[in-house]
Amino acid sequence: MGNKIFKISNFTKTVNYLKKNGVRHAYYAARERIEEERKADYFYREPSADTLEEQHAETAGYSEIFSIVVPAYETDERFLREMIDSVRRQSYPGWELIIVDAGKSETVEKTVRDITDTAGEKRIRYSRLAENKGISDNTNAGIGQAAGDYIALLDHDDLLAPDALYYMIKEIHNAKQQGVIPALLYTDEDKYESNNESYFTPHRKGKLNLDLILSNNYICHFTAVEAKLMKSLQLRREFDGAQDYDLVLRVIERLYGPNMRGDLNKQVIHIPKVLYHWRCHADSTAANTASKSYAYEAGKAALADFCNRRGWHVLVGNSLHLGFYDITYLPDILTVREDIGIVGGRILDSHGRICGGGMDDNGSCLYKGLYKEYSGGYTHRASLKQDVVAVDPRCMQIRPELREIFTQITGIPYEEKTIRCKVGGVSVAVRIADVSRLICDDAGYRKLGMELGKAAASLGYRVLWDPQITITVRRNKRTQAERVWYGRYGTKDTFDCRDSEL
């Protein structure tokens, strides 16, 4: 983590963030970044030659071809050679590399010809474009030449891990055995600085999360799309800079259909391994997020276009962080989004740390202990709307169709109360369930939240966590009877956050 570019990029990010968001937000962003770097312990190690040989032998009988499309433009020769080498080293041999060159110099062509002639590599195809029409149209020229079963996109100066295609083809075959043809596959990624050969900032993405992708293109690299689908959609030039985000949104829209209900995790597959290295150098977006600010505006436009096609009445704005967006639903998210059954918010303890809210499959609180001013690190995930398994009943709103189920599970009628929250820096009124009749410890609230979340999911609804909806809970004095009850049955978390006090 000690490379020079990375530290300069951090300083640059802090200055840009200060100009955009002010001193307070910049202070906490810088403090969180420092804390994250101090505890970072990431280390990438390539698979051994023996492992790669075993992978090669295991998949030798597979016939699927990956068409890897690389739009090139005046690429540094060293970076280009390293990119090509990373493809040629793939343990799964079923690939073709299509390089479309929009540059004016001969550098890219000479480099590619040298490699193909020297190595006798017939899987690499080079074509010179008559003119530079922009990243989308240039890439579409390569997509049009693709003959493979899946089309993957690779930046001209980035690197693939040598087992990237192996894990993709394994997932494809596993899905086919279950009668499913995957439409989109994506992997985890990290950043790479070649001057000192360091790998850092791993991005662990998780499975498809609709509302998270509506906050940020977390899928990003490395992505492969079924060829017929890719060729039918292609990239759109009006979203140059965020063309990959627009593509992912349209793939998801195509798969979901009109009501956006259901589970796509058999068709959209996340591979939880770092298989893509995003090169970090002085001019790259990886090093300096402000270097391509137009791309973030294009991303916002792509997201707004997606919402408009769905007929959602929304406003799409930038969040505090470049490349991250916030959708404001007009007039109410449960009215606009028929796919959402429950909306929950963030619960803070008296020290300003998260102690309740969104929950995972195990009923554990997401981002527990994170300070309220922190965003959740490099991915800012703790500050973004996202789909979750369940939310805490103390900060929850339920659509009318599910309110009878709320009563059945909790034993109390569904009634609401109004709280005020800052949304986009503006104080707004928010309606949430009134659970003051419940006497629960934290374990009890989690149990009820999980039951409600499972009930909503069984009916095809999503549970949305919105961290902008925030309440604070404080330790209250208990009666003698309550002290006896909690002494016998309470959990170690009982006193963290029990009763709401807005």
Side-chain angles (χ1 to χ4, degrees):
M1 208 88 56
N3 66 79
K4 185 177 180 181
I5 287 179
F6 188 58
K7 297 214 172 195
I8 289 175
S9 73
N10 278 352
F11 175 77
T12 303
K13 288 176 184 176
T14 301
V15 171
N16 291 333
Y17 194 90
L18 174 64
K19 292 177 180 178
K20 179 175 178 283
N21 300 316
V23 174
R24 176 170 159 270
H25 289 301
Y27 166 74
Y28 284 110
R31 195 171 87 171
E32 183 179 15
R33 186 178 297 120
I34 291 170
E35 291 181 10
E36 287 291 314
E37 290 183 8
R38 282 176 178 169
K39 64 183 181 183
D41 58 356
Y42 174 69
F43 181 77
Y44 172 77
R45 176 177 293 167
E46 278 197 354
S48 67
D50 288 344
T51 298
L52 294 175
E53 185 59 37
E54 290 172 2
Q55 294 173 354
H56 180 86
E58 181 186 353
T59 57
Y62 294 174
S63 60
E64 290 87 352
I65 300 296
F66 290 93
S67 297
I68 302 173
V69 177
V70 177
Y73 182 81
E74 305 298 354
T75 311
D76 181 284
E77 181 180 346
R78 174 192 169 194
F79 296 168
L80 182 63
R81 286 183 178 274
E82 291 179 353
M83 180 276 292
I84 294 174
D85 184 58
S86 77
V87 176
R88 294 188 62 226
R89 294 178 62 228
Q90 290 300 303
S91 60
Y92 179 66
W95 56 264
E96 62 174 2
L97 177 60
I98 301 170
I99 299 174
V100 287
D101 181 12
K104 295 180 179 179
S105 73
E106 305 296 321
T107 301
V108 172
E109 182 173 7
K110 287 181 177 179
T111 302
V112 175
R113 300 298 183 203
D114 179 57
I115 292 172
T116 55
D117 292 346
T118 302
E121 181 62 80
K122 297 182 180 180
R123 293 174 294 180
I124 300 176
R125 290 195 278 130
Y126 169 87
S127 63
R128 190 71 171 268
L129 301 179
E131 59 179 311
N132 180 12
K133 293 185 176 181
I135 184 65
S136 292
D137 283 348
N138 293 351
T139 305
N140 286 337
I143 291 173
Q145 299 176 36
D149 302 277
Y150 283 83
I151 299 174
L153 305 180
L154 174 61
D155 286 352
H156 63 167
D157 54 358
D158 292 343
L159 305 172
L160 288 185
D163 49 353
L165 297 184
Y166 164 79
Y167 282 105
M168 282 200 165
I169 196 62
K170 288 292 292 181
E171 290 292 343
I172 290 170
H173 271 253
N174 290 340
K176 285 183 175 179
Q177 289 176 0
Q178 301 174 43
V180 178
I181 297 178
L184 183 150
L185 302 96
Y186 63 99
T187 77
D188 293 342
E189 64 188 272
D190 63 15
K191 293 181 181 178
Y192 172 68
E193 207 289 294
S194 54
N195 289 338
N196 56 20
E197 297 186 346
S198 63
Y199 299 88
F200 52 95
T201 318
H203 186 180
R204 313 287 188 183
K205 301 174 184 178
K207 64 183 181 180
L208 178 64
N209 187 308
L210 176 61
D211 283 281
L212 191 59
I213 201 68
L214 298 182
S215 300
N216 163 253
N217 182 20
Y218 74 91
I219 287 178
C220 204
H221 311 114
F222 177 50
T223 303
V225 178
E226 191 274 325
K228 290 181 181 178
L229 179 59
M230 175 74 93
K231 289 190 175 187
S232 70
L233 294 175
Q234 295 203 328
L235 305 182
R236 299 196 291 177
R237 68 167 70 180
E238 57 265 41
F239 301 108
D240 271 5
Q243 69 285 339
D244 51 350
Y245 187 27
D246 174 60
L247 173 66
V248 168
L249 291 173
R250 288 184 293 129
V251 167
I252 290 171
E253 181 182 26
R254 176 78 64 89
L255 296 176
Y256 268 125
N259 62 12
M260 304 300 287
R261 304 273 287 272
D263 182 358
L264 295 184
N265 284 297
K266 290 184 178 180
Q267 294 170 281
V268 178
I269 297 175
H270 168 239
I271 300 171
K273 290 181 177 294
V274 172
L275 300 174
Y276 189 98
H277 307 301
W278 189 5
R279 189 186 296 272
C280 182
H281 55 86
D283 296 323
S284 70
T285 309
N288 178 13
T289 54
S291 65
K292 291 186 178 179
S293 57
Y294 75 92
Y296 305 124
E297 289 305 306
K300 185 172 73 170
L303 180 56
D305 184 65
F306 172 89
C307 294
N308 288 336
R309 290 197 308 273
R310 306 308 309 160
W312 296 350
H313 298 291
V314 301
L315 296 175
V316 177
N318 295 309
S319 77
L320 294 175
H321 313 285
L322 281 173
F324 295 79
Y325 310 105
D326 184 64
I327 299 177
T328 301
Y329 292 86
L330 309 172
D332 174 77
I333 189 169
L334 294 179
T335 302
V336 176
R337 295 275 301 275
E338 295 182 359
D339 58 313
I340 293 179
I342 301 175
V343 179
R346 184 177 66 160
I347 301 178
L348 305 177
D349 63 19
S350 57
H351 300 289
R353 298 187 181 277
I354 294 176
C355 67
M359 289 181 268
D360 63 14
D361 292 327
N362 299 317
S364 299
C365 172
L366 297 171
Y367 318 111
K368 185 173 182 179
L370 188 70
Y371 186 59
K372 64 180 180 180
E373 298 288 353
Y374 286 1
S375 68
Y378 161 63
T379 61
H380 308 296
R381 191 159 293 187
S383 67
L384 304 175
K385 293 185 180 76
Q386 58 203 268
D387 301 326
V388 295
V389 174
V391 291
D392 195 299
R394 288 171 291 182
C395 191
M396 166 190 289
Q397 185 185 36
I398 296 181
R399 70 181 308 109
E401 294 91 327
L402 297 178
R403 291 176 183 177
E404 183 176 342
I405 293 176
F406 174 91
T407 300
Q408 293 172 0
I409 290 175
T410 64
I412 64 172
Y414 182 81
E415 297 175 345
E416 291 185 339
K417 61 183 178 182
T418 301
I419 63 171
R420 298 203 70 83
C421 300
K422 281 192 174 181
V423 177
V426 178
S427 178
V428 298
V430 178
R431 302 285 294 173
I432 64 172
D434 184 350
V435 295
S436 57
R437 298 190 195 183
L438 291 176
I439 299 179
C440 291
D441 65 356
D442 286 340
Y445 284 122
R446 286 197 298 271
K447 183 174 184 294
L448 291 174
M450 290 294 287
E451 290 182 10
L452 288 165
K454 290 177 180 177
S458 70
L459 295 173
Y461 291 106
R462 287 188 176 81
V463 179
L464 176 72
W465 183 65
D466 182 353
Q468 293 190 84
I469 302 173
T470 299
I471 66 171
T472 298
V473 293
R474 298 178 177 87
R475 185 187 306 175
N476 289 351
K477 292 182 178 180
R478 298 192 173 94
T479 65
Q480 178 61 29
E482 287 178 320
R483 285 197 294 271
V484 170
W485 190 94
Y486 281 100
R488 291 177 179 174
Y489 307 110
T491 69
K492 64 180 181 180
D493 295 326
T494 295
F495 290 92
D496 285 345
C497 46
R498 172 178 169 266
D499 297 309
S500 297
E501 192 174 285
L502 305 179

